[in-house]
Amino acid sequence: MTDTTPTPKPPFIVDFWETVFRWLGKVSLFALVRKVFKSTHGSGRFVDAWALSHVFLSIASVPLVLYIPSVWVGGVIAGYAFLRVFEVVVYQMNVLLFDEYRAKRAGKSYALHGYRRMILLLIQNYFEIIFWFAAQYAFFSQIFDFTVPGSNESVLGAVYTSFVVMTSFGFYNVTPLSVLAYTIVIAQAVIGLFMTLLSLARFIGLIPNPETMDQTEKP
């Protein structure tokens, strides 16, 4: 007598999102640069330099938008900010959830350059996103209502607004007045939640504990 029980189909949700983020990772500027300069593949130094340079670029973007009275300059910075934030989120999703999965599925070994390095890169990305969104609030100030008068006209005011939305600590200094404004605020709030909870929870527990001289704290 043969067994006619149908073989259950394997779950597909992991493969579905792995495919989505694999293709999203191919449309970033970072992927384009690495495709042009193939020697950068596997180079941790290039990734470090790329990430660190964008931290400084994001910091500079806020005063550039505020103090250069040019719609073109502000528009280019705002557009690049969208692309860079998209790139960071996709990159972190791939590192956190899919790179190891892809390597094991392909029968390859997978290892990080270092846990501390990944946490430092994550923290850099976190603050970089705050500054990129601060530039957004400065450039698109006409589609927001700011609780603190003039906060959209200073670097610290724009950064404060972005920090509050990113972390949801304190009261919102900004009220969206259009669909685009709602999109910006919701996107930053979701990204902040993702990077605060998922990313830090993934890596903080992996940092080796230093030795202690307190006898009561030793195992």
Side-chain angles (χ1 to χ4, degrees):
M1 183 176 180
T2 59
D3 185 4
T4 59
T5 303
T7 303
K9 295 182 179 180
F12 67 90
I13 195 67
V14 175
D15 289 336
F16 172 79
W17 286 111
E18 182 277 325
T19 302
V20 170
F21 279 95
R22 173 158 44 86
W23 284 102
L24 289 178
K26 294 179 182 295
V27 299
S28 66
L29 181 61
F30 176 73
L32 177 62
V33 171
R34 298 189 76 177
K35 186 175 182 180
V36 174
F37 302 98
K38 296 183 178 180
S39 60
T40 61
H41 282 277
S43 172
R45 294 181 66 87
F46 173 76
V47 175
D48 293 349
W50 181 268
L52 189 59
S53 64
H54 276 86
V55 172
F56 293 115
L57 186 60
S58 67
I59 294 172
S61 70
V62 184
L64 287 175
V65 169
L66 285 172
Y67 303 128
I68 296 181
S70 171
V71 176
W72 289 104
V73 172
V76 169
I77 292 175
Y80 190 80
F82 276 122
L83 292 175
R84 176 56 184 166
V85 170
F86 167 82
E87 177 178 276
V88 168
V89 172
V90 171
Y91 178 81
Q92 289 294 343
M93 283 294 292
N94 279 318
V95 169
L96 287 168
L97 297 177
F98 299 120
D99 283 350
E100 182 181 11
Y101 173 75
R102 294 184 188 113
K104 289 185 175 180
R105 191 173 60 176
K108 301 178 181 178
S109 60
Y110 178 81
L112 298 172
H113 285 282
Y115 296 132
R116 291 184 181 88
R117 172 180 174 272
M118 286 306 304
I119 292 172
L120 288 173
L121 288 174
L122 175 63
I123 293 172
Q124 284 184 191
N125 286 159
Y126 191 91
F127 284 99
E128 178 189 345
I129 290 174
I130 289 176
F131 280 98
W132 283 129
F133 274 101
Q136 301 283 351
Y137 293 123
F139 180 70
F140 293 110
S141 60
Q142 69 277 5
I143 62 174
F144 294 100
D145 182 28
F146 295 90
T147 304
V148 179
S151 60
N152 61 309
E153 300 173 359
S154 68
V155 173
L156 289 179
V159 172
Y160 166 76
T161 300
S162 181
F163 179 80
V164 169
V165 176
M166 187 81 167
T167 62
S168 297
F169 296 153
F171 72 94
Y172 274 21
N173 181 43
V174 60
T175 301
L177 302 177
S178 70
V179 174
L180 176 59
Y182 275 106
T183 302
I184 293 174
V185 171
I186 292 173
Q188 186 178 13
V190 171
I191 291 169
L193 180 64
F194 157 71
M195 297 194 71
T196 301
L197 298 180
L198 182 60
S199 302
L200 290 180
R202 173 68 171 83
F203 287 113
I204 288 297
L206 298 176
I207 299 179
N209 291 324
E211 292 292 332
T212 177
M213 292 185 290
D214 189 332
Q215 296 298 322
T216 64
E217 296 176 350
K218 291 185 176 181

